[in-house]
Amino acid sequence: MQFTHEHEELRRTLKRFIDEEINPRVDEWEAAEMFPAHEVFGRLGALGLLGLTKPEAYGGVGLDYSYSVVMAETLGHVRCGGVPMAIGVQTDMATPALARFGSDALRRDFLAPAIAGDMVACIGVSEPGAGSDVAAIRTTARKDGGDYVISGSKMWITNSLQADWMCLLVNTSDGPAHRNKSLIVVPMKTPGISVGRKIRKIGMMASDTGLIHFDDVRVPQRYRIGEEGQGFTYQMLQFQEERLWAAANAIEALANCIAQTAEYARERQAFGQSILDNQVVHFRLAELKTEVEALRALTYLATEHYVAGRDVTEWASMAKLKAGRLLREVPDACLQFWGGMGYTWDNPASRLYRDGRLASIAGGADEVMLGIIAKQMGILPARR
Ligand SMILES: Cc1cc2nc3c(=O)[nH]c(=O)nc-3n(C[C@H](O)[C@H](O)[C@H](O)COP(=O)(O)OP(=O)(O)OC[C@H]3O[C@@H](n4cnc5c(N)ncnc54)[C@H](O)[C@@H]3O)c2cc1C
């Protein structure tokens, strides 16, 4: 990927913001199991960082997707995974379909304030009974006059305790599972929406995750994104950006974990020498660095294809799979070299070990990625 002066400027601006306004408060937000999304998004919006690839007509910057990838990568400098994930939900998971397929009025009412940082968005796909198998979701929206009336539940929803609106995937008819769904923008203050519970997790502590119930929730039909029945297809397209974002976001977090581990191991002495001087340690870190650079190359290649307008279903899946694998392997190996310190809660390797574990599960589990790649290779057996 060719980086321009604008890419470098983006990196610098965001890195400065992270160093000055996010990292000093990360420990406080991790302990509170919540970060102030409106405050942080307001600042990011003012810096023009929430709509890099979104249309200028709605306050975006209209840049190509390589800028989103640079932003996701730079967010890897945040000293936890939860805050970057919440930002990624806003920029690359809950808003791509609205930006691409939403009506002008819908984009003015919901996309423009999300880009400005005045509204927090969330994405509602997963349910208590369906996660990997997106086609099997049960939440429905039936038509009544000019409205949809929504019933069901959405599970694991990032940002949902603070969100102003949800990009909701629902069944809008009884037809075939890939053609009966729609994406609808649902304001979270609408009567009938309730938070079942805030979910306690092993990582991503600063990010709020909720179980949300919809009990006869009424929204106008004009809140539907694009065509009725196209929701599954729109969501699969939206997943491409989510997966590229997830891969890019892993890179710097992994590289920093390796660098911090090397630094610690260099200082720490055992058996009369530094821990780092044991060949098993420095060779392992060298090997992991090589893996991270391979992930970077794969992610950049996938991004180049995406920017060129090609279908990146397979590339994005491979990049996300590799990121998920490395987010398990790298912090596990690094944690070991910190000894007892690695087993403490606020250690950087242990935080990445917990936060990074999510990458192999959310946004399509590793096995779902493997299924997609195998299908693209023409080697996935037909369903019986
Ligand atoms: C912290 C967190 C934040 C999240 N944020 C959001 C959000 O904002 N919005 C949202 O919609 N969802 C969100 N999710 C949900 C996430 O996308 C799902 O958890 C994920 O898609 C897996 O679905 P599931 O949990 O129902 O697992 P299941 O579908 O029950 O799958 C369980 C396991 O089975 C295995 N498996 C599944 N399919 C196959 C297969 N075909 N072959 C082999 N093995 C398979 C995998 O190992 C998988 O992990 C979040 C989840 C978490 C934990």
Side-chain angles (χ1 to χ4, degrees):
M1 219 154 64
Q2 285 293 325
F3 292 117
T4 63
H5 172 71
E6 283 73 28
H7 287 103
E8 298 310 331
E9 195 49 43
L10 166 61
R11 265 190 229 280
R12 256 195 305 277
T13 305
L14 182 55
K15 180 75 171 34
R16 195 179 316 123
F17 178 73
I18 291 168
D19 289 341
E20 290 173 4
E21 301 193 37
I22 297 190
N23 279 344
R25 297 173 69 190
V26 157
D27 289 340
E28 173 200 329
W29 296 339
E30 287 276 291
E33 298 190 17
M34 183 79 88
F35 84 106
H38 283 92
E39 182 194 330
V40 173
F41 288 7
R43 292 285 298 120
L44 285 166
L47 290 169
L49 294 172
L50 294 180
L52 293 175
T53 60
K54 299 294 191 296
E56 290 166 82
Y58 305 99
V61 196
L63 296 166
D64 69 51
Y65 201 71
S66 64
Y67 290 84
S68 265
V69 163
V70 165
M71 176 160 169
E73 213 182 351
T74 308
L75 284 170
H77 290 296
V78 175
R79 288 179 40 246
C80 72
V83 175
M85 177 171 74
I87 298 168
V89 164
Q90 178 92 350
T91 55
D92 294 83
M93 303 178 201
T95 49
L98 174 60
R100 212 193 282 185
F101 303 108
S103 70
D104 179 52
L106 205 57
R107 288 187 285 182
R108 285 196 190 289
D109 288 351
F110 295 100
L111 181 64
I115 291 171
D118 296 334
M119 280 187 176
V120 173
C122 64
I123 172 77
V125 174
S126 309
E127 300 187 352
S132 302
D133 187 1
V134 172
I137 61 161
R138 302 283 294 277
T139 300
T140 57
R142 67 179 163 79
K143 283 184 180 156
D144 185 38
D147 295 338
Y148 282 119
V149 180
I150 301 162
S151 298
S153 298
K154 291 289 169 180
M155 178 89 171
W156 312 113
I157 308 305
T158 301
N159 292 351
S160 60
L161 278 84
Q162 305 189 66
D164 297 289
W165 59 269
M166 179 185 286
C167 174
L168 176 75
L169 186 71
V170 278
N171 296 310
T172 41
S173 77
D174 294 329
H178 296 98
R179 291 203 296 275
N180 73 340
K181 297 180 174 39
S182 302
L183 283 175
I184 300 175
V185 172
V186 181
M188 294 297 280
K189 294 238 162 61
T190 313
I193 297 182
S194 58
V195 177
R197 66 187 156 94
K198 181 180 177 195
I199 300 168
R200 283 191 72 209
K201 312 183 295 289
I202 64 163
M204 299 291 194
M205 306 308 284
S207 161
D208 53 293
T209 313
L211 164 63
I212 307 294
H213 298 304
F214 298 82
D215 185 10
D216 285 341
V217 174
R218 192 173 276 275
V219 294
Q221 282 176 35
R222 64 185 165 79
Y223 281 10
R224 189 187 63 237
I225 296 172
E227 285 176 46
E228 191 168 83
Q230 286 298 306
F232 186 85
T233 305
Y234 294 160
Q235 184 51 40
M236 291 303 127
L237 288 171
Q238 194 157 245
F239 271 142
Q240 301 312 318
E241 296 196 3
E242 171 164 347
R243 289 168 187 162
L244 286 174
W245 188 94
N249 184 235
I251 299 167
E252 287 302 315
L254 291 164
N256 286 339
C257 184
I258 295 168
Q260 286 167 327
T261 303
E263 210 176 300
Y264 177 79
R266 189 193 301 283
E267 295 304 317
R268 182 82 180 163
Q269 300 278 317
F271 302 104
Q273 62 171 1
S274 96
I275 300 272
L276 188 65
D277 286 347
N278 291 287
Q279 193 184 65
V280 70
V281 178
H282 57 254
F283 271 20
R284 183 75 179 119
L285 294 179
E287 190 168 340
L288 294 174
K289 176 85 183 350
T290 308
E291 289 289 314
V292 173
E293 292 310 318
L295 170 65
R296 196 191 303 270
L298 176 60
T299 306
Y300 286 178
L301 193 56
T303 305
E304 277 175 17
H305 285 306
Y306 193 57
V307 170
R310 299 186 197 107
D311 177 4
V312 291
T313 309
E314 187 175 6
W315 287 105
S317 304
M318 290 192 292
K320 163 129 186 343
L321 174 70
K322 186 69 182 165
R325 298 290 204 222
L326 289 184
L327 279 164
R328 293 159 78 169
E329 186 182 353
V330 172
D332 184 29
C334 288
L335 189 155
Q336 179 69 19
F337 301 145
W338 288 78
M341 291 305 290
Y343 202 67
T344 60
W345 190 258
D346 291 323
N347 178 272
S350 86
R351 188 175 281 166
L352 191 63
Y353 179 86
R354 292 180 282 110
D355 292 353
R357 189 64 183 81
L358 180 64
S360 285
I361 296 170
D366 283 2
E367 294 82 355
V368 172
M369 296 304 102
L370 288 166
I372 294 170
I373 298 162
K375 189 174 176 192
Q376 297 283 321
M377 293 167 70
I379 58 171
L380 189 73
R383 279 242 178 95
R384 269 164 285 160

